[in-house]
Amino acid sequence: MSEEQLNVRRAAVLGAGVMGAQIAAHLVNAGIETLLFELPADQGDPNQLVDRAIKHLVKLKPPPLAGKDIGRLVVPANYDQHLEQLTGCDLIIEAIAERMDWKQALYEKVAPHIAAHTIFATNTSGLSINALASVLPEQLRDRFCGVHFFNPPRYMHLVELIPHDGTAGAVMDQLESFLTTAVGKGVVRAKDTPNFIGNRVGVFSMLSTMHHTGAFGLGFDTVDALTGPAIGRPKSATYRTADVVGLDTMAHVIRTMTDQLPDDPWHRYYAVPDWLQQLIENGALGQKAGLGVYRKQGKLIEVLDTASGDYRPLDTTLPEDLQAALGTKDPAEKLAAFRASDHPEGQFLWALFRDLFHYCAVHLAEIADSAREVDQAIRWGYGWKQGPFEIWQAAGWRQIADWIAEDIAAGKSMSATPLPDWVFDGREGVHGADGSWSAAGTTNTGRSNLAVYRRQLQPERLLGEARDAGITVKDLDGLRLWTLDDAVLIASFNTKMHTINQAVIDGLQQAVDLAESEYSGLVIWQTREPFCVGADLAAAAGLVQAGDMAGLEQMIGGFQQAVQRLKYSLVPTVAAVRGMALGGGCEILLHCARTVAAMESYIGLVEAGVGLLPGGGGLKELAIRSVDNTAAGDSFALLQTYYQTVAMGKVAGSAREARQFGFLTAADPIVMHPHEVLHVAIEQAKAMSASGYRPPLRNRRWPAGGDVGIATLKMLLVNMAEGHFISEHDMEIGSRIATVICGGEIDRGTPVPEDWFLALEREHFAALAVQEKTQQRIAHMLKTGKPLRN
C-alpha cells in the first residue's frame, strides 16, 4: 500500500452522538458519501434515533454542514439492519462514547463486516489505542489507529493521528494524506499516551490556570480577561472555554488524566476542583445547560463567585501597569514584566507560563516526536497564536530556562521535577531552519516529506522555521507582485485586512499589464486571511466629507476599470480565496476568469450594511449571471434571488453556499485545505493557459429586468417595511440596488451592455454616499466594526 492508493468512495461513522454526527457532516461537506450508524430504536422505525441526529445537524451553531441541503447526503443506518453495508466502505470511524468496554464490544460486532482493504479508526480523545486494538482480529489490527477530531469537527483544524504498536506505516501515511487534502485538516501524529498531545497539554494548561486562580485569589472573569487575546489565545479564554466545551466533558478528560497518569510529577493537580464538581452536580454544565461558570440574566452576563457560591456582575478591571505590560509587543519584555510585577495578576501570568513551559519540556519525549507537534497541536486544537515552545523561544530561551530553574529550586513551581538537561545545552530554542527538536531522538527533525505537503506552497510556519517567500517581481504601494515558478504571477495586497484603496486599484492594473506581457496567468492570493474585506471605507468617507465627489467617482470608476481588466485579461486571472471576501473583495473574484475557494470562505456583497450598494461591477455581474445561468425561459426568478442576497447583505457561510448565492460558479473549484488553495489556483491558471485561454467577448448585451423588474423587487421592500423588518434608509438602499441590477427604468428585456450597468452603479453609489444616514453607518462601522441599522 502506498499513500496514493487510499481512495475513499464511501465512509461510515459509528455513533450518531454530538461528535459522530458532526464528523459525518464534515465528511459529506468534503463530498464523501457517508453512512451514519446508531443503535436501533426500541419501537417504531429502527432508524429514528439516527434520523433525529441528522435532522438536528441543521440546528447546531456554528453549523456543522457547509450548506443546509448537504445533510440529506448523510445516509442513516443502524447496527441491526445495515452492518453488511460496512463491507462497501473504504474508511470507518468509530465515534461512540468514551468507554473502553463499549468501544471494544462494538469492535467485536463490526469486525466481521470490515473489508480487507478498509481503514478502521477510533475517534477518542484519550483512550489507549493499543488497548482498543487488543480485541480486533489479527488481520484488521494493522489497519487500525486513532483519529482524534477536535470539536466542532468542521471548524477545528486539528486532527491527531495515533498508531498502536501494530499499525502499518503505510496506513498512517495514507490516512494523513487523506485527512489533509480531502478533509482539510492539520494532522499531528501523536504517541499512544493518555489524552495524546492536544488535550494533555491543553487540559494541563487549564488545570494550571484553575490552580493559580485560587492561589492568587483571582476571579474567573479576571482570569478570562488575562488568558484570552491579551496573551494570544481565543476570546473564550479559560473559563468561557470550559463552559463551551461542557463542564462535564471537562471533568471527564481530567479524570482520564487522574486514572491513567498516576506517576506523573503533576498528578496531584489532575483533580476536578470542588467548585467544578458542585456545578456539575447542580446540572450547571455550561453553555449547553444555559448555566455554568457564567450565566446570562437577560442581557447581563454574570460570573460565579466561589466565595459566596452565587453569581455576581463581571469585573475585569486590571492594573494600569499590567495593561501596559500586556500591550508590550516584545515577548521577552512582556514575560519579564509579569515576573517582576507586584500585582497578583502579573504574578499569576508568570506562574502560568512558567509551569506550562516546565510541563512541556519534561513531557516532550514522552508525548510527541518533536516540539513541532506540540506547538501545532495547541495552535490548531486550542486556537493559540503560538504554541508553548514558540512563546518560550520568542521570549528568550536561556533567560526563561534560568528563571524556571530558580523557581523550581525555590519551591514556587507546581512540580519539583528538574528541567531536562537538553534545555541547558546552549540552545536558543527548539525550532530552526533545520527542523524542530526531538527530545526522544535527541536531534532536530524536519517536516513530513509526504507528497501531500508539496501541495502546500506556503504552509503555516512555526517560529524560527525557514519560509519560502517566493521571488519578488515588483513591490508596489498597494500590493506585492511575486512568483514561485516564473510561470504565474501572484498579486498580494499590502493593506490592512487587504482593503482596496487607490494604490491597490492602480496595482491591479499594473499586475494585469505585467501578467499579459511576461506570464501565463495571474493569481490574486493573500499571504494570510482574509482575502479582502472590501473598500477602504475611511478613504471613501474622507472624500465625501471633503466634498470631493469627483475624487469619489474617480475611485469608483478606477476600481470598475481594474476589475474589468481582470475579466478581459488576455491571460487567465484566478482569485485564490480563503476567509472573508466581502464587498469589493467579492467583486474581484466575480470578475476573475476562475475562483479557487477554500471551503471555509465567507463571501458576500455587504455594502448595504454601510448604506451603500456594490459599485465595483458586482451588481452588473449578478445581472449577467442571472441570464447566463438560466438554461431557458425567464431569468428574472434567479435575478430576484441574487437581489435578495445583496439587499439583505447576506454572507455565504461556506464556499458551497457561495455557489448557491451566485458568487461562485460550478467551474470554480472548492478546496478543503486552505493551504492548498494557492497550489490549485496556480495549476488552474496553467491549465487554462495551456488550453488556449481567451477572455469573454466584449460586445455582448444582456436582457435587463427593466421597469417591471424594479417594480417587482420594490414590492418585496414594501412588504418588509410594512412588517417593520427594514428602516426607511434600508428601503432607499434596496430600491437603488433594484434599479441598478435591473438595468434602470427601461423596458423589460431590453438588451444592454456592461457599461450601462457600470454607469448606474457609479450614479447610485455616489447618490447614497452623500446621504447623512449612510455616513452615520460608515462612521459606526469604522468605530465598532458592526453595522448600524438607522
Side-chain angles (χ1 to χ4, degrees), residues 322-570:
L322 183 61
Q323 291 183 48
L326 287 167
T328 302
K329 292 185 177 180
D330 186 310
E333 289 183 21
K334 183 176 291 188
L335 264 69
F338 296 159
R339 188 170 191 267
S341 176
D342 294 328
H343 301 292
E345 295 91 344
Q347 287 294 308
F348 163 85
L349 285 170
W350 163 246
L352 206 63
F353 282 111
R354 175 199 66 209
D355 291 316
L356 174 65
F357 299 157
H358 185 191
Y359 187 87
C360 289
V362 169
H363 287 299
L364 176 58
E366 173 194 353
I367 66 175
D369 290 333
S370 78
R372 178 188 302 105
E373 284 74 33
V374 173
D375 282 346
Q376 285 179 328
I378 295 302
R379 272 190 182 202
W380 296 342
Y382 281 78
W384 295 14
K385 287 187 177 180
Q386 289 185 309
F389 285 117
E390 289 183 287
I391 300 169
W392 183 352
Q393 182 167 325
W397 184 272
R398 296 187 187 187
Q399 179 62 81
I400 297 294
D402 288 343
W403 284 344
I404 295 172
E406 288 177 20
D407 281 8
I408 293 172
K412 294 180 179 180
S413 59
M414 292 172 67
S415 169
T417 301
L419 286 167
D421 291 341
W422 60 262
V423 171
F424 300 100
D425 64 5
R427 67 179 54 248
E428 297 294 340
V430 291
H431 303 301
D434 59 343
S436 296
W437 174 249
S438 171
T442 64
T443 185
N444 279 7
T445 62
R447 284 178 173 250
S448 169
N449 59 6
L450 286 177
V452 65
Y453 294 114
R454 292 197 286 274
R455 294 167 55 87
Q456 297 183 11
L457 301 182
Q458 288 206 323
E460 181 180 328
R461 296 288 182 183
L462 299 175
L463 180 74
E465 285 190 303
R467 299 170 187 269
D468 180 8
I471 300 169
T472 298
V473 178
K474 274 189 180 182
D475 255 329
L476 304 174
D477 288 343
L479 46 81
R480 175 188 177 223
L481 301 180
W482 56 289
T483 184
L484 285 168
D485 59 4
D486 291 325
V488 174
L489 185 66
I490 304 168
S492 300
F493 299 178
N494 294 331
T495 51
K496 184 179 180 180
M497 298 291 284
H498 307 131
T499 52
I500 300 162
N501 58 16
Q502 192 61 51
V504 169
I505 292 169
D506 294 341
L508 286 173
Q509 297 264 25
Q510 294 183 56
V512 175
D513 288 340
L514 185 59
E516 286 182 334
S517 62
E518 299 183 29
Y519 295 88
S520 59
L522 171 65
V523 169
I524 301 173
W525 185 80
Q526 316 299 2
T527 54
R528 61 181 61 86
E529 295 183 18
F531 177 75
C532 173
V533 297
D536 182 347
L537 282 177
L543 291 171
V544 173
Q545 290 167 6
D548 187 3
M549 296 310 297
L552 180 66
E553 291 184 20
Q554 181 182 359
M555 183 178 176
I556 303 166
F559 183 46
Q560 288 183 342
Q561 291 172 16
V563 294
Q564 288 292 91
R565 287 296 313 281
L566 291 172
K567 181 171 183 175
Y568 292 106
S569 167
L570 294 175

Side-chain angles (χ1 to χ4, degrees), residues 524-526 531-532 574-581 585 589 595-603 664 671 674 677 681:
I524 301 173
W525 185 80
Q526 316 299 2
F531 177 75
C532 173
V574 181
V577 178
R578 53 183 179 165
M580 293 184 291
L589 67 88
T595 295
V596 176
M599 173 63 79
E600 298 306 327
S601 296
Y602 312 110
I603 303 172
L664 299 180
V671 178
V677 169

Side-chain angles (χ1 to χ4, degrees), residues 38 161 209 216 238 298 390 398 561 612 678 738 746 748:
E38 187 47 275
L161 193 58
T209 303
F216 290 98
T238 301
E390 289 183 287
R398 296 187 187 187
Q561 291 172 16
L612 296 169
L678 179 58
I746 57 178
R748 184 172 184 177

Side-chain angles (χ1 to χ4, degrees), residues 645-669:
T645 298
V646 179
M648 296 176 67
K650 288 184 180 180
V651 176
S654 70
R656 291 194 181 278
E657 195 167 51
R659 278 183 178 166
Q660 298 171 3
F661 286 4
F663 300 138
L664 299 180
T665 71
D668 292 330

